[in-house]
Amino acid sequence: MPNARALRRAHRRTATAELRNRRRANREHRDLTERIKVSEFLTILGMEESDVDRYGSVAGRYIVSEYRAAHHGHQPRQTRKRTKPCKGYPKGRWIKVFVYPLAHPALLAGCAKYKRTADYVPAA
């Protein structure tokens, strides 16, 4: 008859393997959904690159507030993006940016709230 320590160890190993398999399945599902940055979305809407550089950050703030309102305060997923070269950073620097599912309604709602990007949002 196995002792209590052996039973706990076996239970932990089983629970760990089950959690690993669950995470693997979630990762595969998560990778199937295409995610997009705000700058890419504004480019799709037809905004010029200079305007995206100029107004993209503020538009992103409006979009993230819409996302948080729709998801009970949760943050969207993050990724890293290299900025354009600037003084002190000849290769650009890495910053964290939010990414959203391509068809998420917060993208259009946030752009519609910001007056600089509202003209690019198609009428619904």
Side-chain angles (χ1 to χ4, degrees):
M1 179 161 170
N3 61 10
R5 178 181 287 171
L7 288 173
R8 284 194 305 270
R9 187 179 311 133
H11 176 70
R12 263 197 320 265
R13 285 182 180 159
T14 305
T16 303
E18 184 179 328
L19 181 61
R20 185 182 323 113
N21 291 337
R22 212 177 315 145
R23 283 181 177 162
R24 184 177 297 132
N26 286 340
R27 188 177 310 121
E28 291 167 0
H29 171 71
R30 182 186 69 212
D31 293 343
L32 288 176
T33 58
E34 184 180 350
R35 302 208 178 257
I36 190 168
K37 300 175 204 151
V38 172
S39 58
E40 294 169 355
F41 181 71
L42 293 175
T43 304
I44 289 172
L45 288 181
M47 198 175 234
E48 294 179 22
E49 187 178 344
S50 60
D51 289 339
V52 170
D53 293 341
R54 191 172 182 185
Y55 305 123
S57 177
V58 181
R61 292 184 198 139
Y62 280 94
I63 292 170
V64 77
S65 69
E66 287 293 319
Y67 185 92
R68 287 183 189 132
H71 293 277
H72 308 291
H74 290 276
Q75 296 277 65
R77 210 173 278 284
Q78 284 187 343
T79 190
R80 292 172 17 143
K81 168 186 169 181
R82 188 184 290 265
T83 62
K84 294 183 177 179
C86 59
K87 184 177 179 181
Y89 297 97
K91 295 183 180 177
R93 60 188 180 105
W94 289 99
I95 59 171
K96 291 181 181 176
V97 295
F98 293 122
V99 289
Y100 306 90
L102 184 57
H104 201 282
L107 289 166
L108 288 175
C111 286
K113 277 190 169 182
Y114 182 41
K115 68 177 183 176
R116 300 285 187 181
T117 57
D119 297 337
Y120 295 96
V121 177

